[in-house]
Amino acid sequence: MRYLAAIVLSLLLAVPAWAQSVAFGSKLVTVGDSAGKVYQVAGKPDRVVQLQNKFGANNGERFEYYVGNKTVLITVRDGHVVAISEVF
């Protein structure tokens, strides 16, 4: 019983890690990777959107990749990936 509970708990804790990565072919981009690695793995973005704070200052970029029937959004701040989402 303890063994089963430990397996279930470890799987539940691993779920957020799955949501913070995206595959491009056989390679993976994860939160914390550098912007350079994103370019190496995914190539040049289809669109780059400059992100601004409420005062209008630039505080990051969002790389948009159109992959099949979905859009992959990768948010980069200070040269590192801080968020990944997929829009279908």
Side-chain angles (χ1 to χ4, degrees), residues 20-72:
Q20 295 299 316
S21 62
V22 65
F24 289 91
S26 63
K27 297 183 180 179
L28 198 64
V29 173
T30 59
V31 169
D33 287 346
S34 68
K37 182 176 178 188
V38 175
Y39 273 89
Q40 288 176 343
V41 171
K44 183 179 176 189
D46 295 307
R47 181 175 178 213
V48 177
V49 177
Q50 297 297 318
L51 303 177
Q52 298 178 345
N53 65 14
K54 64 182 179 178
F55 302 110
N58 187 8
N59 69 347
E61 297 176 313
R62 183 177 63 233
F63 299 159
E64 298 182 1
Y65 293 92
Y66 308 125
V67 183
N69 62 347
K70 68 180 177 181
T71 301
V72 177

